[in-house]
PDB file of all heavy atoms in Angstrom:
ATOM      1  N   SER A   5      69.976  63.648 -19.939  1.00  0.00           N
ATOM      2  CA  SER A   5      70.375  62.289 -19.535  1.00  0.00           C
ATOM      3  C   SER A   5      69.976  62.010 -18.099  1.00  0.00           C
ATOM      4  O   SER A   5      69.536  60.910 -17.743  1.00  0.00           O
ATOM      5  CB  SER A   5      71.897  62.120 -19.711  1.00  0.00           C
ATOM      6  OG  SER A   5      72.262  62.322 -21.061  1.00  0.00           O
ATOM      7  N   LEU A   7      67.489  63.388 -16.548  1.00  0.00           N
ATOM      8  CA  LEU A   7      66.034  63.225 -16.494  1.00  0.00           C
ATOM      9  C   LEU A   7      65.612  61.818 -16.897  1.00  0.00           C
ATOM     10  O   LEU A   7      64.774  61.191 -16.244  1.00  0.00           O
ATOM     11  CB  LEU A   7      65.392  64.257 -17.437  1.00  0.00           C
ATOM     12  CG  LEU A   7      63.853  64.208 -17.514  1.00  0.00           C
ATOM     13  CD1 LEU A   7      63.254  64.491 -16.146  1.00  0.00           C
ATOM     14  CD2 LEU A   7      63.358  65.229 -18.548  1.00  0.00           C
ATOM     15  N   ASN A  75      26.888  36.577  -6.157  1.00  0.00           N
ATOM     16  CA  ASN A  75      25.451  36.815  -6.080  1.00  0.00           C
ATOM     17  C   ASN A  75      24.796  35.738  -5.233  1.00  0.00           C
ATOM     18  O   ASN A  75      25.109  34.563  -5.366  1.00  0.00           O
ATOM     19  CB  ASN A  75      24.836  36.812  -7.483  1.00  0.00           C
ATOM     20  CG  ASN A  75      25.326  37.987  -8.314  1.00  0.00           C
ATOM     21  OD1 ASN A  75      25.563  39.066  -7.784  1.00  0.00           O
ATOM     22  ND2 ASN A  75      25.470  37.769  -9.619  1.00  0.00           N
ATOM     23  N   PRO A  86       4.576  21.397   4.146  1.00  0.00           N
ATOM     24  CA  PRO A  86       4.853  20.404   3.102  1.00  0.00           C
ATOM     25  C   PRO A  86       3.917  19.208   3.238  1.00  0.00           C
ATOM     26  O   PRO A  86       3.647  18.738   4.336  1.00  0.00           O
ATOM     27  CB  PRO A  86       6.309  20.009   3.363  1.00  0.00           C
ATOM     28  CG  PRO A  86       6.550  20.362   4.799  1.00  0.00           C
ATOM     29  CD  PRO A  86       5.681  21.563   5.078  1.00  0.00           C
ATOM     30  N   SER A  88       2.661  15.460   3.212  1.00  0.00           N
ATOM     31  CA  SER A  88       3.308  14.190   3.552  1.00  0.00           C
ATOM     32  C   SER A  88       3.132  13.190   2.421  1.00  0.00           C
ATOM     33  O   SER A  88       2.062  13.062   1.846  1.00  0.00           O
ATOM     34  CB  SER A  88       2.703  13.626   4.846  1.00  0.00           C
ATOM     35  OG  SER A  88       3.244  12.365   5.115  1.00  0.00           O
ATOM     36  N   LEU A 125     -15.123 -10.810  15.896  1.00  0.00           N
ATOM     37  CA  LEU A 125     -15.115 -11.853  16.925  1.00  0.00           C
ATOM     38  C   LEU A 125     -13.857 -12.703  16.816  1.00  0.00           C
ATOM     39  O   LEU A 125     -13.473 -13.158  15.728  1.00  0.00           O
ATOM     40  CB  LEU A 125     -16.349 -12.742  16.774  1.00  0.00           C
ATOM     41  CG  LEU A 125     -17.713 -12.051  16.946  1.00  0.00           C
ATOM     42  CD1 LEU A 125     -18.820 -13.076  16.839  1.00  0.00           C
ATOM     43  CD2 LEU A 125     -17.791 -11.301  18.270  1.00  0.00           C
ATOM     44  N   PRO A 136     -29.083 -11.540  37.154  1.00  0.00           N
ATOM     45  CA  PRO A 136     -30.513 -11.759  36.910  1.00  0.00           C
ATOM     46  C   PRO A 136     -31.080 -10.757  35.902  1.00  0.00           C
ATOM     47  O   PRO A 136     -30.889  -9.533  36.038  1.00  0.00           O
ATOM     48  CB  PRO A 136     -31.143 -11.567  38.297  1.00  0.00           C
ATOM     49  CG  PRO A 136     -30.052 -11.945  39.251  1.00  0.00           C
ATOM     50  CD  PRO A 136     -28.795 -11.445  38.614  1.00  0.00           C
ATOM     51  N   PHE A 147     -21.509 -12.474  14.354  1.00  0.00           N
ATOM     52  CA  PHE A 147     -21.212 -12.796  12.958  1.00  0.00           C
ATOM     53  C   PHE A 147     -19.713 -13.038  12.781  1.00  0.00           C
ATOM     54  O   PHE A 147     -18.890 -12.193  13.150  1.00  0.00           O
ATOM     55  CB  PHE A 147     -21.636 -11.659  12.022  1.00  0.00           C
ATOM     56  CG  PHE A 147     -23.117 -11.350  12.068  1.00  0.00           C
ATOM     57  CD1 PHE A 147     -23.592 -10.085  11.731  1.00  0.00           C
ATOM     58  CD2 PHE A 147     -24.036 -12.316  12.447  1.00  0.00           C
ATOM     59  CE1 PHE A 147     -24.942  -9.806  11.762  1.00  0.00           C
ATOM     60  CE2 PHE A 147     -25.398 -12.049  12.495  1.00  0.00           C
ATOM     61  CZ  PHE A 147     -25.850 -10.780  12.145  1.00  0.00           C
ATOM     62  N   ALA A 157      -7.396 -12.602   1.560  1.00  0.00           N
ATOM     63  CA  ALA A 157      -6.347 -13.614   1.552  1.00  0.00           C
ATOM     64  C   ALA A 157      -5.572 -13.575   2.865  1.00  0.00           C
ATOM     65  O   ALA A 157      -5.229 -12.502   3.373  1.00  0.00           O
ATOM     66  CB  ALA A 157      -5.405 -13.379   0.374  1.00  0.00           C
ATOM     67  N   ALA A 204     -33.209 -19.517  33.229  1.00  0.00           N
ATOM     68  CA  ALA A 204     -32.047 -18.807  32.682  1.00  0.00           C
ATOM     69  C   ALA A 204     -32.160 -18.637  31.172  1.00  0.00           C
ATOM     70  O   ALA A 204     -31.754 -17.614  30.615  1.00  0.00           O
ATOM     71  CB  ALA A 204     -30.768 -19.556  33.041  1.00  0.00           C
TER      72      ALA A 204
END
Side-chain angles (χ1 to χ4, degrees):
S5 300
L7 179 61
N75 294 326
S88 175
L125 298 183
F147 299 155

